[in-house]
C-alpha cells in the first residue's frame, strides 16, 4: 500500500457540506476513516450535517478557503485532503467574476500550499468540464485553479505530497442541477423550462464522482489530471426520461441558453487527449515536466504529439430515452420518488 488509503486516515474535505462534499463524507465514514474534518463557511449546514451523521469521528471547522490561516488550521495533521469548496454557479460568476477568482483560484492555492507545507500525503482538487476551452468566468477560474495546482506540483516534485486534479461533468441530482428542477416543475404543474433541446450533457452519478476521487487518492502521481468516462444525452432526452418516470406530459417552454452556457461539455481537450493515457474507466493526463528553459526547442525542436479528438458529451456514448431512464433509476432520489408513488 502507498499509505494513501482511506481506512485509518485523517481526511479533510473543504466544502464538506455541499452535495458532493457531503456524499464524499458519508463514503469515507463507511470506509473506516479515523477522523473526518468538514471545512466550510455555513454553520447552519454544518449543524444539519452534525445531526444527520451523529458520528464522533466527524469534526467541523468553520472557515473560508480564502483565509490562509483558517485553511492551515484544518489541514495541519491531515493525511488526505479533498478540495471541493468552490463557487460553482455559472451565472453568479458571470456577474461576480472576482469572487470566483478569490475562492476558486486563490482559495485553492491556499489549500494546496498548506497541504505541501504540512506534509499531507495526497490532495485532490475537484474541477469541472467548464475548465476546458472556458467561455465563462466560472470555467476560467477553474482552469486557473487547475494550472495553479499543477504548477505547485511541478515546483514540489521532491515533496511527499501528491497533488492531483479530477474533472467531472454534470452530476445527476446534485444541488442546483437540472433533474430536481424538472421534477419540481412537473410536481407543481408549472411549465418545464428547457434551454436548448440539442444541448448535450454528461450523465454521472455522485457515486461515480466519489469513485473518481478515491481513484485519484490511491493511484495518482503528482500533477496528474484524472477524468472518469461517462455517457451523455441531450437535455431533451433527459427531460423525456424524467417525465416518463414522474408520469406526466409536461408543458415545455424553450427559454434559450443561460449566461455562459455551452452547447456541449468537454472533459479533455484535443491537446490533453494527445498525451492522455486510457485506463479503461478513466483517462490520465500526466504532468508536463518541461522547464522554462526554451533553448532546446529553439536549437533542436521537438516533435509534437499528434492531436486527438477532444472527449466531449457530443462524441461519448449517447443514451436514448430508455437507457437514460435506466441510468436515472440507479439514483437513490429517483428510487425514493418511484417508491412513494
Amino acid at each position: 500500500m502507498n499509505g494513501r488509503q482511506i481506512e485509518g486516515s485523517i481526511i479533510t474535505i473543504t466544502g464538506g457540506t455541499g452535495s458532493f462534499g457531503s456524499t464524499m463524507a458519508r463514503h469515507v465514514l463507511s470506509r473506516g476513516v479515523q477522523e473526518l474534518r468538514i471545512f466550510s463557511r455555513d454553520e447552519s449546514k454544518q449543524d444539519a450535517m452534525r445531526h444527520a451523521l451523529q458520528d464522533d469521528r466527524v469534526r467541523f471547522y468553520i472557515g473560508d478557503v480564502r483565509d490562509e490561516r483558517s485553511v492551515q488550521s484544518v489541514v495541519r495533521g491531515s493525511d488526505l485532503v479533498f478540495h471541493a469548496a468552490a463557487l460553482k454557479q455559472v451565472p453568479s460568476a458571470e456577474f461576480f467574476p472576482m469572487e470566483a477568482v478569490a475562492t476558486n483560484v486563490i482559495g485553492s492555492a491556499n489549500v494546496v500550499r498548506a497541504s505541501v507545507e504540512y506534509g499531507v500525503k495526497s490532495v485532490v482538487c475537484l474541477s469541472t468540464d467548464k475548465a476546458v476551452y472556458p467561455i465563462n468566468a466560472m470555467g476560467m477560474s477553474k482552469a486557473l485553479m487547475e494550472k495553479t495546482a499543477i504548477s505547485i506540483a511541478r515546483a514540489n516534485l521532491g515533496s511527499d505530497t501528491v497533488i492531483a486534479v479530477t474533472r467531472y461533468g454534470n452530476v445527476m441530482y446534485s444541488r442546483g442541477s437540472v433533474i430536481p428542477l424538472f421534477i419540481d416543475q412537473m410536481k407543481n404543474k408549472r411549465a418545464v423550462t428547457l434551454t436548448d433541446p440539442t444541448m448535450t450533457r454528461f450523465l454521472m452519478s455522485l457515486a461515480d464522482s466519489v469513485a473518481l476521487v478515491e481513484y485519484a487518492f490511491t493511484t495518482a502521481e503528482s500533477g496528474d489530471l484524472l477524468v472518469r468516462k461517462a455517457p451523455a444525452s441531450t437535455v431533451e432526452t433527459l427531460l423525456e426520461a424524467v417525465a416518463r418516470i414522474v408520469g406526466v406530459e409536461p408543458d415545455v417552454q424553450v427559454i434559450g441558453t443561460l449566461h455562459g452556457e455551452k452547447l456541449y461539455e468537454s472533459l479533455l481537450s484535443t491537446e490533453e487527449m494527445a498525451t492522455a493515457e486510457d485506463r479503461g474507466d478513466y483517462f490520465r493526463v500526466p504532468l508536463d515536466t518541461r522547464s522554462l528553459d526554451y533553448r532546446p526547442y529553439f536549437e533542436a525542436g521537438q516533435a509534437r504529439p499528434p492531436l486527438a479528438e477532444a472527449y466531449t458529451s457530443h462524441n461519448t456514448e449517447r443514451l436514448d430515452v430508455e437507457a437514460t431512464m435506466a441510468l436515472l433509476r440507479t439514483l437513490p432520489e429517483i428510487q425514493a420518488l418511484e417508491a412513494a408513488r
Side-chain angles (χ1 to χ4, degrees):
M1 299 294 287
N2 58 20
R4 290 185 270 146
Q5 67 275 8
I6 289 173
E7 294 83 356
S9 292
I10 298 173
I11 297 180
T12 290
I13 302 178
T14 72
T17 55
S19 54
F20 201 166
S22 59
T23 299
M24 189 68 192
R26 288 175 171 82
H27 175 72
V28 301
L29 287 170
S30 72
R31 292 291 305 279
V33 65
Q34 177 185 329
E35 181 182 316
L36 174 61
R37 300 174 178 181
I38 300 296
F39 180 82
S40 73
R41 300 178 302 171
D42 195 322
E43 59 184 342
S44 176
K45 288 178 185 174
Q46 286 196 8
D47 187 58
M49 191 173 182
R50 182 183 294 107
H51 283 88
L53 295 178
Q54 296 188 18
D55 193 311
D56 291 339
R57 293 173 294 169
V58 184
R59 302 286 184 268
F60 291 89
Y61 291 73
I62 295 289
D64 194 319
V65 292
R66 300 182 186 188
D67 177 15
E68 190 174 10
R69 180 199 54 78
S70 66
V71 170
Q72 291 172 341
S73 70
V74 70
V75 168
R76 187 186 297 112
S78 299
D79 297 309
L80 307 174
V81 172
F82 173 44
H83 176 45
L87 293 182
K88 306 179 183 73
Q89 295 295 321
V90 170
S92 297
E94 290 298 283
F95 285 93
F96 303 100
M98 291 305 296
E99 299 304 313
V101 169
T103 295
N104 297 350
V105 183
I106 298 171
S108 297
N110 288 338
V111 173
V112 177
R113 286 181 182 135
S115 297
V116 173
E117 179 179 353
Y118 291 108
V120 168
K121 295 173 185 176
S122 179
V123 53
V124 174
C125 300
L126 189 64
S127 190
T128 168
D129 63 279
K130 295 169 184 65
V132 184
Y133 303 133
I135 64 168
N136 53 61
M138 195 280 272
M140 292 171 188
S141 69
K142 279 293 196 175
L144 274 174
M145 180 277 286
E146 292 184 4
K147 295 295 186 185
T148 300
I150 289 170
S151 73
I152 296 172
R154 188 184 294 112
N156 291 275
L157 289 177
S159 168
D160 292 331
T161 301
V162 173
I163 301 166
V165 173
T166 60
R167 270 192 209 142
Y168 69 99
N170 180 52
V171 175
M172 297 182 292
Y173 230 104
S174 58
R175 189 167 59 219
S177 64
V178 73
I179 295 173
L181 173 64
F182 285 164
I183 291 173
D184 180 69
Q185 290 171 329
M186 291 174 192
K187 282 185 171 182
N188 289 285
K189 297 182 170 55
R190 300 199 303 268
V192 176
T193 51
L194 197 63
T195 52
D196 182 333
T198 65
M199 189 178 285
T200 57
R201 289 294 180 262
F202 284 106
L203 298 177
M204 181 182 288
S205 69
L206 275 169
D208 286 339
S209 304
V210 166
L212 171 60
V213 173
E214 182 166 0
Y215 184 77
F217 271 144
T218 57
T219 71
E221 296 179 32
S222 204
D224 276 358
L225 168 65
L226 296 164
V227 164
R228 185 181 175 96
K229 298 175 184 177
S233 77
T234 66
V235 291
E236 183 176 46
T237 296
L238 180 60
L239 171 58
E240 185 174 347
V242 172
R244 288 194 192 180
I245 288 173
V246 175
V248 300
E249 287 286 342
D251 173 25
V252 179
Q253 179 183 357
V254 177
I255 60 174
T257 57
L258 304 177
H259 286 283
E261 272 196 314
K262 288 183 175 181
L263 183 63
Y264 58 89
E265 296 176 330
S266 301
L267 279 174
L268 288 173
S269 68
T270 56
E271 294 81 6
E272 290 165 337
M273 283 296 290
T275 60
E277 175 188 333
D278 190 332
R279 291 187 167 182
D281 290 335
Y282 302 93
F283 285 115
R284 170 190 178 242
V285 180
L287 175 68
D288 184 345
T289 57
R290 291 176 296 178
S291 74
L292 278 173
D293 182 3
Y294 293 148
R295 286 176 298 173
Y297 311 110
F298 289 126
E299 295 168 3
Q302 181 172 339
R304 177 179 177 177
L307 294 183
E309 188 177 18
Y311 181 55
T312 76
S313 59
H314 266 15
N315 62 22
T316 191
E317 177 190 0
R318 181 74 62 88
L319 302 184
D320 60 17
V321 174
E322 293 297 329
T324 303
M325 289 176 66
L327 184 59
L328 289 174
R329 285 185 166 125
T330 66
L331 303 178
E333 297 87 353
I334 296 296
Q335 294 169 0
L337 178 70
E338 293 196 298
R341 286 175 56 192

